[in-house]
Amino acid sequence: MTAVPAPRVETDWLTLPELVEVLGEPLGRVRRLLDEFQLVGSRRDGALKVPAIFIVDGRPLTSLRGTVFVLHDAGFDDDEAIDWLLTEDDSIGVAPIEALLAGRKSEVRRVAQALA
């Protein structure tokens, strides 16, 4: 019997030029947002892309940065962090990104810290 993978949040993936347009920021500023982990991206189909769900009202989700730091401290790379954020977690009851969007930052970070 094969294990059924946990449900993943469906999201569009934005390239850097698309992020420039969505955020209304120059490319240099978009790259800085990535360097500072205010956004996190992954190479998908060759190009660096960011899940669109990480953008709220034309800005990076504010609780994302600290959560990414916690995941990095737990040994996750950017790809693994994105996958964890988009995949339903039993202890949270939803995908961590959905919990962050609902304002449940402390709970998400507590679960992420336990992964270390």
Side-chain angles (χ1 to χ4, degrees):
M1 182 175 188
T2 58
V4 177
R8 279 181 59 107
V9 172
E10 290 296 319
T11 183
D12 290 330
W13 290 78
L14 304 173
T15 62
L16 292 182
E18 291 168 330
L19 283 168
V20 166
E21 187 175 317
V22 168
L23 298 172
E25 298 283 355
L27 182 58
R29 174 73 178 129
V30 171
R31 288 187 190 282
R32 197 162 35 259
L33 291 172
L34 287 160
D35 289 344
E36 296 171 354
F37 299 110
Q38 293 183 50
L39 288 173
V40 63
S42 175
R43 292 222 173 262
R44 308 280 163 141
D45 302 319
L48 183 67
K49 296 183 181 180
V50 172
I53 199 167
F54 293 175
I55 310 291
V56 177
D57 297 326
R59 309 273 13 115
L61 176 64
T62 56
S63 57
L64 183 65
R65 183 173 192 242
T67 304
V68 170
F69 279 129
V70 171
L71 290 168
H72 284 167
D73 288 347
F76 283 57
D77 64 22
D78 288 349
D79 287 330
E80 293 166 333
I82 290 169
D83 288 343
W84 184 79
L85 286 163
L86 297 178
T87 303
E88 186 174 313
D89 186 280
D90 290 340
S91 59
I92 299 173
V94 296
I97 190 63
E98 292 175 320
L100 288 176
L101 290 166
R104 295 163 51 194
K105 170 178 70 176
S106 296
E107 177 184 4
V108 170
R109 290 186 185 166
R110 199 167 31 253
V111 170
Q113 284 175 327
L115 299 172

